């Protein structure tokens, strides 16, 4: 009721200050108020999207349903009172699926995938029209869970439920193309906000004065703050003291968004959080890892063992895997690698076409743990013709302390005459490549990054006191196994995590270098596919792997099934 009175006071004040040319009678105001009160009572509240109306955007209330929310009761667990309620915090509509964020009561056990259904409701009926199994159910943060459901048929609303306990009331629903989706509290107490839909120019810093940041706890507590920088899809805000104080008590209670002056507030599911590696000394004299690697991957489980184990042999010590909606066994492979002693972690990143944003996020996450961070894909391998370890190469070429980014040339390999996946892995199986390198990949010093965190095609903007260096290809290159056997290529390019091509079969960005030259958009294997992209035979990495990594007792490489 307090929220309702505050909103009515706002409406009354806005009428009073419309100016001399705007006439409105008090009777009209009270008629409107009566209608508003009855609507409020009927629908029992509005969602966060109402704030867009308050701050100059269009009026888009999301109505809550009269259906009771799922109560976690003794039939599910006896560890907490039956009055505590599981709820859907928000729902996000992605192009090919729906993501629902669930809030659990304290100490409540999570539902498993087998115990939850994706439920599809009509606009006017409380009875389910359709039930489907979730594509994935995963824990995100303490007390929070992500449920990925198939996209809703036209006219239906997505929620979740269980056979034993009923159906949850649908949560506020947001479009993916207009949303603030992630936020991190930086070491300098600024907030870095990741957004979608502002359509700012790539690789350019935009005018921060056109925007302001807005923080909120609930409908009645809002705080505005200055935008310090804004570029591409990343906003840096000056964090209000009240928010910093609240973070000491609760790490997920404050949401943040950006307001475009004159256009209104971007809807937000971003909670202000502070991330660092577990066990990291907040003021280390020396970072625990010399070289780390960040990647964004989707359905790369069968390649992860080789990628991690190989790079461990050449000196990588820490791996951050941003999982972009995998449906395979990526989580199980990461867990098995971790159990085997590799310092690898998986981070849920469901956001579509946000590779650059994910890399900026990872650079912040890794900053306190890693001296250098490489940004490569799972089908890319650092090859060291010098036979030195990677951290030794980095030391040799960065004796000048002003070096903040190392750019490594990238060779594209083809199917190399193969029609089936090579049993010994990509580093041994693919030995034929194109003559000239394409693009570069970066190894960066995290503290050297510009505060905007701009990066494009794996290259970051650096602070003024740092510069980049192109490394000699005789020291280190990247072998990019881009065009593998058709079975692998078809899956990889069906749904890419890269920024520019979402689905290689669509007629979109046909000239992009992310596409296979001459293939077009038809999902049909060319007769000569196995011999394509083969201009130079290059067995350098294969020879090094077979010489140094084969187990003499059984002839297996570390990542082959027989050794695992």
């Amino acid at each position: 009721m307090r929220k309702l009175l505050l909103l009515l006071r706002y409406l009354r004040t806005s009428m009073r200050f419309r100016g001399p040319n705007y006439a409105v009678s008090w009777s009209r105001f009270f008629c409107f108020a009566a209608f508003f009160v009855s609507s409020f009572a009927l629908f029992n509240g509005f969602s966060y999207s109402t704030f867009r109306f308050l701050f100059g955007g269009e009026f888009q209330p999301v109505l809550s349903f009269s259906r009771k929310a799922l109560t976690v009761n003794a039939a599910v667990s006896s560890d907490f009172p039956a009055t505590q309620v599981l709820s859907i915090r928000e729902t996000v509509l992605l192009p090919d699926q729906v993501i629902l964020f669930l809030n659990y009561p304290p100490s409540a056990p999570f539902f498993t995938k087998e115990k939850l259904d994706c439920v599809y409701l009509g606009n006017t009926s409380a009875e389910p029209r359709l039930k489907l199994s979730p594509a994935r159910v995963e824990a995100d943060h303490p007390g929070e869970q992500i449920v990925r459901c198939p996209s809703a048929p036209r006219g239906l609303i997505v929620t979740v439920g269980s056979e034993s306990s009923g159906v949850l009331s649908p949560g506020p629903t947001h479009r993916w193309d207009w949303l603030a989706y992630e936020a991190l509290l930086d070491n300098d107490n600024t907030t870095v906000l990741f957004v979608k839909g502002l359509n700012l120019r790539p690789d350019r810093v935009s005018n921060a004065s056109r925007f302001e940041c807005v923080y909120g706890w609930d409908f009645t507590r809002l705080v505005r703050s200055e935008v310090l920088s804004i570029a591409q899809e990343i906003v840096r805000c000056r964090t209000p003291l009240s928010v910093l104080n609240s973070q000491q008590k609760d790490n997920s209670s404050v949401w943040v968004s950006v307001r475009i002056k004159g256009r209104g507030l971007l809807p937000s599911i971003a909670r202000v959080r502070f991330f660092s590696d577990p066990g990291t000394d907040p003021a280390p004299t020396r970072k625990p890892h010399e070289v780390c690697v960040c990647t964004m991957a989707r359905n790369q489980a069968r390649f992860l063992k080789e990628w991690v184990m190989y790079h461990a042999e050449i000196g990588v010590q820490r791996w951050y895997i941003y999982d972009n909606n995998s449906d395979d066994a990526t989580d199980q492979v990461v867990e098995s690698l971790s159990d085997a002693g590799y310092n690898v972690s998986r981070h849920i990143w469901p956001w579509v076409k946000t590779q650059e944003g994910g890399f900026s996020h990872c650079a912040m996450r890794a900053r306190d743990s890693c001296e250098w961070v490489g940004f490569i894909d799972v089908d890319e391998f650092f090859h060291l013709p010098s036979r030195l370890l990677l951290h030794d190469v980095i030391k040799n070429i960065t004796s000048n302390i002003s070096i903040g980014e190392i750019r490594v040339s990238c060779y594209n390999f083809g199917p190399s005459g193969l029609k089936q996946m090579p049993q010994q892995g990509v580093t041994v199986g693919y030995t034929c490549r194109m003559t000239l390198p394409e693009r570069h990949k970066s190894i960066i010093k995290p503290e050297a990054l510009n505060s905007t965190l701009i990066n494009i095609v794996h290259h970051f903007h650096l602070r003024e006191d740092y510069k980049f260096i192109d490394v000699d290809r005789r020291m280190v290159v990247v072998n990019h196994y881009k065009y593998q056997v058709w079975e692998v290529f078809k899956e990889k390019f069906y749904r890419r995590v890269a920024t520019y091509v979402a689905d290689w079969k669509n007629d979109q960005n046909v000239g992009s270098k992310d596409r296979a030259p001459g293939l077009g958009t038809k999902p049909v294997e060319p007769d000569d596919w196995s011999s394509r992209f083969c201009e130079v035979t290059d067995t350098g990495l294969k020879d090094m792997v077979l010489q140094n990594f084969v187990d003499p007792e059984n002839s297996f490489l570390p990542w082959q099934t027989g050794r695992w």
Side-chain angles (χ1 to χ4, degrees):
M1 181 57 69
R2 182 185 177 192
K3 299 176 183 178
L4 174 60
L5 293 175
L6 286 170
L7 188 55
L8 289 176
R9 185 181 301 170
Y10 169 85
L11 294 171
R12 174 181 167 185
T13 304
S14 65
M15 288 180 170
R16 183 183 303 168
F17 291 102
R18 291 282 186 171
N21 296 324
Y22 186 89
V24 59
S25 67
W26 282 107
S27 61
R28 184 176 300 175
F29 168 76
F30 284 116
C31 288
F32 175 82
F35 171 79
F36 189 87
V37 170
S38 62
S39 300
F40 185 90
L42 176 62
F43 295 114
N44 192 28
F46 293 91
S47 80
Y48 159 74
S49 60
T50 306
F51 290 121
R52 293 187 63 191
F53 169 68
L54 295 181
F55 288 99
E58 55 188 285
F59 186 31
Q60 291 185 332
V62 178
L63 305 180
S64 63
F65 286 68
S66 58
R67 185 185 306 107
K68 290 185 178 180
L70 170 63
T71 300
V72 184
N73 53 36
V76 179
S77 173
S78 58
D79 296 334
F80 44 90
T83 55
Q84 293 183 310
V85 175
L86 172 65
S87 63
I88 298 177
R89 192 186 78 197
E90 284 111 1
T91 300
V92 179
L93 305 178
L94 295 180
D96 60 350
Q97 62 183 312
V98 179
I99 297 182
L100 302 99
F101 294 83
L102 306 188
N103 276 346
Y104 279 77
S107 302
F110 287 154
F111 281 97
T112 63
K113 177 182 175 181
E114 293 72 27
K115 297 294 184 180
L116 287 174
D117 292 314
C118 298
V119 180
Y120 301 82
L121 307 170
N123 287 314
T124 59
S125 172
E127 294 300 318
R129 299 278 189 88
L130 180 67
K131 289 185 179 180
L132 297 174
S133 297
R136 199 85 175 186
V137 176
E138 301 182 286
D140 186 21
H141 299 285
E144 299 178 15
Q145 191 178 43
I146 291 178
V147 180
R148 286 164 42 198
C149 291
S151 294
R154 194 177 192 87
L156 297 186
I157 299 167
V158 187
T159 183
V160 295
S162 71
E163 183 175 345
S164 60
S165 304
V167 177
L168 289 173
S169 294
T173 299
H174 306 288
R175 302 192 332 254
W176 162 238
D177 58 356
W178 180 249
L179 187 68
Y181 61 92
E182 293 276 354
L184 290 177
L185 191 62
D186 207 351
N187 288 343
D188 61 358
N189 287 334
T190 60
T191 302
V192 177
L193 178 65
F194 297 82
V195 301
K196 196 74 174 175
L198 295 183
N199 297 321
L200 304 177
R201 291 182 62 189
D203 204 29
R204 295 288 187 276
V205 178
S206 297
N207 181 5
S209 65
R210 295 175 46 223
F211 306 88
E212 68 178 351
C213 297
V214 179
Y215 296 78
W217 289 259
D218 53 35
F219 196 88
T220 61
R221 294 182 64 197
L222 298 174
V223 179
R224 304 187 189 197
S225 82
E226 177 186 5
V227 171
L228 300 174
S229 66
I230 183 167
Q232 292 181 177
E233 297 182 349
I234 299 176
V235 184
R236 188 177 289 270
C237 310
R238 188 182 304 281
T239 312
L241 184 59
S242 56
V243 173
L244 294 175
N245 291 337
S246 70
Q247 289 302 97
Q248 297 175 4
K249 303 175 183 177
D250 185 350
N251 193 37
S252 62
S253 62
V254 183
W255 56 259
V256 58
S257 188
V258 60
R259 175 179 175 256
I260 311 166
K261 295 178 181 178
R263 288 184 53 192
L265 193 68
L266 202 68
S268 177
I269 65 168
R271 269 38 178 193
V272 181
R273 305 181 191 275
F274 181 84
F275 283 122
S276 63
D277 270 354
T280 301
D281 186 344
T285 55
R286 182 179 177 85
K287 295 181 182 180
H289 309 303
E290 289 283 345
V291 185
C292 305
V293 169
C294 282
T295 194
M296 188 176 292
R298 183 180 188 273
N299 291 344
Q300 297 293 300
R302 57 182 169 177
F303 303 111
L304 275 174
K305 286 196 294 185
E306 179 181 8
W307 186 75
V308 169
M309 290 179 169
Y310 166 80
H311 283 101
E313 295 285 353
I314 66 168
V316 174
Q317 300 163 304
R318 177 78 169 89
W319 295 260
Y320 300 85
I321 298 174
Y322 277 53
D323 190 343
N324 193 227
N325 294 324
S326 294
D327 297 316
D328 62 0
T330 293
D331 54 340
Q332 299 172 30
V333 174
V334 170
E335 184 178 358
S336 64
L337 285 165
S338 181
D339 291 343
Y342 296 93
N343 195 343
V344 54
S345 57
R346 171 176 167 265
H347 310 281
I348 300 171
W349 189 264
W351 315 118
V352 177
K353 296 176 68 175
T354 57
Q355 189 175 48
E356 273 115 356
F359 280 178
S360 296
H361 193 278
C362 189
M364 291 182 64
R365 186 191 291 271
R367 182 178 50 205
D368 293 338
S369 298
C370 308
E371 295 287 349
W372 293 91
V373 183
F375 293 86
I376 57 174
D377 299 329
V378 176
D379 60 355
E380 295 171 339
F381 290 72
F382 287 114
H383 172 37
L384 301 146
S386 62
R387 299 298 177 97
L388 296 173
L389 293 176
L390 187 55
H391 55 79
D392 291 327
V393 171
I394 292 173
K395 286 179 180 178
N396 289 340
I397 62 180
T398 59
S399 56
N400 184 337
I401 60 173
S402 66
I403 301 299
E405 179 182 30
I406 302 166
R407 296 186 175 180
V408 184
S409 297
C410 189
Y411 285 119
N412 289 336
F413 280 70
S416 305
L418 301 180
K419 294 184 180 293
Q420 303 293 328
M421 289 178 55
Q423 293 185 355
Q424 291 181 294
V426 299
T427 54
V428 174
Y430 299 113
T431 57
C432 202
R433 62 169 172 82
M434 301 180 76
T435 304
L436 298 177
E438 180 191 49
R439 296 181 176 167
H440 298 76
K441 293 302 169 79
S442 293
I443 306 173
I444 60 98
K445 184 181 285 291
E447 59 268 27
L449 300 187
N450 184 288
S451 63
T452 63
L453 298 177
I454 289 180
N455 71 92
I456 187 165
V457 195
H458 300 244
H459 293 329
F460 288 83
H461 284 206
L462 304 176
R463 288 166 35 189
E464 291 184 358
D465 49 337
Y466 283 92
K467 61 184 180 180
F468 70 86
I469 185 173
D470 291 308
V471 63
D472 190 320
R473 292 198 290 271
R474 292 171 297 182
M475 297 292 292
V476 58
V477 295
V478 168
N479 280 13
H480 183 189
Y481 300 103
K482 183 173 183 178
Y483 307 116
Q484 300 185 34
V485 296
W486 182 257
E487 172 195 351
V488 174
F489 175 85
K490 181 177 63 175
E491 290 183 8
K492 172 185 175 182
F493 278 78
Y494 170 70
R495 181 64 64 187
R496 289 183 55 83
V497 298
T499 304
Y500 300 108
V501 179
D503 188 333
W504 70 279
K505 292 185 293 184
N506 289 343
D507 187 12
Q508 175 188 3
N509 297 328
V510 175
S512 169
K513 290 184 178 181
D514 281 328
R515 290 190 171 276
L519 185 64
T521 59
K522 295 181 180 179
V524 178
E525 180 181 2
D527 293 336
D528 63 343
W529 179 259
S530 64
S531 61
R532 287 194 178 191
F533 318 109
C534 183
E535 298 173 351
V536 177
T537 298
D538 182 348
T539 63
L541 185 53
K542 172 184 176 179
D543 295 341
M544 191 272 285
V545 167
L546 293 179
Q547 181 180 348
N548 294 281
F549 300 162
V550 171
D551 188 326
E553 294 183 1
N554 56 28
S555 299
F556 281 128
L557 291 165
W559 45 84
Q560 288 186 270
T561 303
R563 175 74 181 274
W564 187 248

